Amino acid sequence: MSNPSGVPADKLPRHIAVIMDGNGRWARERGLPRIEGHRRGSESVRACTAACMEAGVPYLTLYAFSKENWQRPADEVGALMLLLDRFLAERTAEIMERNIRLRAIGHLGDLPDKARRRLEDTIAKSANNTALTLTLALSYGARTEIVDAAREIAREVKAGTLDPETIDENTIASHLYTAGVPDPDLLVRTSGEMRISNFLLWQISYAEIVVTPKLWPDFAKEDLFAAMQEYARRNRRYGGI
Ligand code: FPP
């Protein structure tokens, strides 16, 4: 049977990372408050998760809230945190039913207590699920992630448990928040911006990038399938010929 994504199984990405952008513009175009764009955006989160599961893509990572996003007006930040809290409250049963393993990367200690506790609870509950690993990047910044890894490596060197001469790419990768998760093969960004915005800088070294003009709340299952098809058409060379 052919894959619902239209991509042969051997050409599917193993890990898709998404920069979900354009919620504010989507709302503005409709004369709605920005938070309504975020609310609709959380429905696209569900659609993309379903798309990955149907296609058999085992890892999906979503940029839900960056370190820089704390600079937004307090009411928008508060509403986004409430949305995260509600998303977890309403979706944890479904996460379990669908056998999804939830993870989070970033400075989770920055999150409001209630949302953080709910997040940790769902992460713990779903830890042994196997169908899809869904990672939410929350209070995440890639440079901060690299700084954190450097500090941890330095501590190990200082403690005498790590020889500096043995440090290689695997040492760095295994100290990032994403340790144990394969690097993204495909990076999707919505709403047409050609930027990486401090997302997974180390991990996307060889990722194929697909930028779509669609705003995130309009981004549906078919759009993710289209991005997978575009990925399958690319010829990845990793610096070779
Ligand atoms: C970017 O749109 C989107 C965000 C900063 C937040 C992403 C959050 C969600 C999709 C909903 C919550 C997610 C979960 C997991 C519950 P923007 O506000 O930067 O849009 P703009 O560039 O058009 O202003």
Side-chain angles (χ1 to χ4, degrees):
M1 211 185 82
S2 68
N3 191 285
S5 66
V7 175
D10 65 334
K11 293 226 164 194
L12 280 171
R14 194 144 80 104
H15 183 174
I16 301 178
V18 185
I19 302 176
M20 310 183 285
D21 195 14
N23 295 350
R25 270 159 285 175
W26 184 92
R28 194 175 60 227
E29 282 174 6
R30 288 161 180 77
L32 296 168
R34 291 176 59 82
I35 188 60
E36 187 54 24
H38 297 313
R39 200 191 61 72
R40 280 291 300 259
S42 67
E43 287 169 26
S44 300
V45 167
R46 187 159 182 255
C48 279
T49 306
C52 284
M53 299 196 69
E54 280 178 32
V57 171
Y59 294 92
L60 173 65
T61 299
L62 303 173
Y63 205 0
F65 196 85
S66 71
K67 274 251 163 218
E68 291 74 23
N69 285 153
W70 293 111
Q71 295 159 26
R72 294 191 176 199
D75 60 342
E76 182 171 344
V77 170
L80 274 165
M81 292 301 138
L82 201 63
L83 202 57
L84 172 67
D85 188 57
R86 280 228 318 259
F87 176 86
L88 293 166
E90 289 166 10
R91 301 266 170 240
T92 295
E94 192 179 342
I95 285 172
M96 295 309 295
E97 225 164 82
R98 291 177 173 247
N99 193 20
I100 296 171
R101 174 168 72 131
L102 185 73
R103 291 178 71 254
I105 53 173
H107 279 186
L108 307 184
D110 296 344
L111 301 175
D113 282 352
K114 191 157 167 259
R116 200 198 68 246
R117 274 200 300 270
R118 230 193 261 285
L119 181 67
E120 285 169 353
D121 186 51
T122 308
I123 289 172
K125 238 187 216 160
S126 68
N128 295 320
N129 290 349
T130 54
L132 170 78
T133 298
L134 171 64
T135 303
L136 299 180
L138 291 161
S139 196
Y140 174 86
R143 287 186 171 187
T144 305
E145 178 182 30
I146 293 169
V147 168
D148 286 347
R151 282 204 183 128
E152 185 52 33
I153 290 168
R155 273 186 219 112
E156 289 174 27
V157 168
K158 195 175 169 197
T161 55
L162 181 65
D163 173 0
E165 298 314 314
T166 66
I167 295 174
D168 59 11
E169 292 188 8
N170 289 327
T171 317
I172 309 285
S174 68
H175 285 79
L176 297 173
Y177 310 148
T178 50
V181 170
D183 287 342
D185 304 296
L186 168 62
L187 174 71
V188 176
R189 180 163 188 149
T190 58
S191 94
E193 286 335 317
M194 302 288 180
R195 283 194 290 273
I196 299 299
S197 301
N198 201 17
F199 189 44
L200 301 175
L201 294 181
W202 173 280
Q203 298 89 335
I204 60 164
S205 294
Y206 294 101
E208 293 294 329
I209 302 178
V210 171
V211 176
T212 150
K214 279 234 173 154
L215 304 178
W216 178 249
D218 289 329
F219 194 80
K221 195 182 273 186
E222 293 65 35
D223 299 305
L224 194 62
F225 286 160
M228 291 180 201
Q229 288 157 19
E230 167 74 34
Y231 167 83
R233 284 193 292 271
R234 304 261 179 100
N235 175 16
R236 299 179 84 193
R237 291 195 298 268
Y238 299 97
I241 51 169

